[in-house]
Amino acid sequence: VLGLLVWTLIAGTEYFLYPAFGWVMFVAVFYWVLTVFFLIIYMTMTYTRIPQVPWTTVGLCFNGSAFVLYLIAAIVDASSVTKDLDSHNYNSWAASSFFAFVVTSCYAGNTYFSLISWRSRTLQ
């Protein structure tokens, strides 16, 4: 839901005029789609039917990459928001920056828990 907020707040503006917001949109939409995909896999218990895939490693790599790229996107988003660019879109861009940092912290927490799960699986 928070990732959806990030890209809808930007998509409702003239973000295409500023390349930095294009990067933020790419990261937000890409990881939103992948998160929904993994959510469906876990909710339907599909991962139990595919035991060849190391799901703890996949989860760690996914959450780690999401954390790093979302952190970069949030920093780019926050540094690109100025009143000088377009005051009409300022509030949307500022809100998207805030929510990008919230999503980053969520992926950071999820990366931590994925790391704990991955380490416990490798020790067994």
Side-chain angles (χ1 to χ4, degrees):
V1 173
L2 296 171
L4 179 67
L5 277 173
V6 172
W7 67 268
T8 53
L9 284 167
I10 293 176
T13 66
E14 293 91 26
Y15 72 91
F16 46 84
L17 299 175
Y18 308 100
F21 292 117
W23 166 251
V24 177
M25 279 290 291
F26 168 74
V27 171
V29 171
F30 180 73
Y31 279 107
W32 184 79
V33 169
L34 282 180
T35 300
V36 169
F37 173 73
F38 281 122
L39 179 66
I40 291 169
I41 285 177
Y42 280 105
M43 288 184 71
T44 60
M45 303 286 285
T46 304
Y47 68 95
T48 59
R49 293 182 227 135
I50 312 171
Q52 301 87 351
V53 177
W55 289 105
T56 54
T57 305
V58 170
L60 178 62
C61 292
F62 169 72
N63 290 314
S65 66
F67 166 65
V68 169
L69 290 179
Y70 242 109
L71 180 63
I72 293 168
I75 292 169
V76 166
D77 193 4
S79 64
S80 299
V81 175
T82 61
K83 277 238 190 232
D84 298 339
L85 290 179
D86 188 356
S87 61
H88 174 68
N89 298 320
Y90 176 78
N91 290 333
S92 293
W93 290 339
S96 73
S97 177
F98 170 76
F99 284 114
F101 280 106
V102 172
V103 172
T104 301
S105 65
C106 290
Y107 277 120
N110 216 358
T111 301
Y112 174 73
F113 291 123
S114 294
L115 179 64
I116 290 172
S117 175
W118 179 77
R119 288 178 112 189
S120 69
R121 293 280 288 181
T122 57
L123 294 177
Q124 293 176 355

